Amino acid sequence: HVQLVESGGGSVQAGGSLKLSCAASGNTAGVMSMAWFRQAPGKEREGVAATYIDGDGTYYADSVLGRFIISRNDTENTVYLQMNNLLPDDTAMYYCAARRAYGSIWRDPRRYDDWGQGTQVTVS
């Protein structure tokens, strides 16, 4: 398994920025992709962005395209989510996820093997 620890959440005003971090440890050698998901109260968990370890492929939900950037530092086994021009609709618990099987359907949470505990983002 891979242990994932998120950090960087907080409360910001609309238009502000936050940068989330996800530190991975444990059996990271077999991880094929990493992703950020979010879940607001009463809503389903939705994919925000994903990055594939064996290439430079990155993917974004339409709602965050142009505002959020996913990146990673492979040396430090850390994935980041830079969030700019935040909107109240971005308010949610944000989760980091790791997946060992390769697949193109990045936004389905059922396809991920390991999850972090989440970090809260509140935009007012």
Side-chain angles (χ1 to χ4, degrees):
H1 288 286
V2 176
Q3 290 76 48
L4 303 171
V5 179
E6 302 99 331
S7 60
S11 297
V12 296
Q13 292 187 337
S17 298
L18 283 173
K19 186 173 184 178
L20 306 183
S21 299
C22 172
S25 61
N27 186 20
T28 60
V31 172
M32 296 300 294
S33 63
M34 300 282 293
W36 286 96
F37 286 79
R38 67 186 181 186
Q39 188 167 20
K43 295 187 177 181
E44 294 185 351
R45 190 168 296 191
E46 65 169 341
V48 175
T51 177
Y52 283 75
I53 306 302
D54 63 347
D56 295 326
T58 55
Y59 300 88
Y60 297 92
D62 290 344
S63 59
V64 306
L65 188 63
R67 300 188 297 122
F68 291 10
I69 301 172
I70 188 170
S71 62
R72 65 180 196 266
N73 182 323
D74 292 337
T75 301
E76 297 184 356
N77 289 326
T78 302
V79 176
Y80 304 96
L81 185 68
Q82 176 68 48
M83 305 186 296
N84 301 318
N85 192 21
L86 283 160
L87 306 171
D89 283 349
D90 295 319
T91 295
M93 185 72 79
Y94 283 71
Y95 298 91
C96 178
R99 178 178 177 182
R100 282 184 284 279
Y102 184 84
S104 59
I105 305 176
W106 67 270
R107 65 182 76 225
D108 184 351
R110 296 171 298 179
R111 297 175 183 267
Y112 289 80
D113 303 294
D114 300 291
W115 293 83
Q117 83 289 349
T119 186
Q120 178 68 38
V121 172
T122 302
V123 185
S124 59

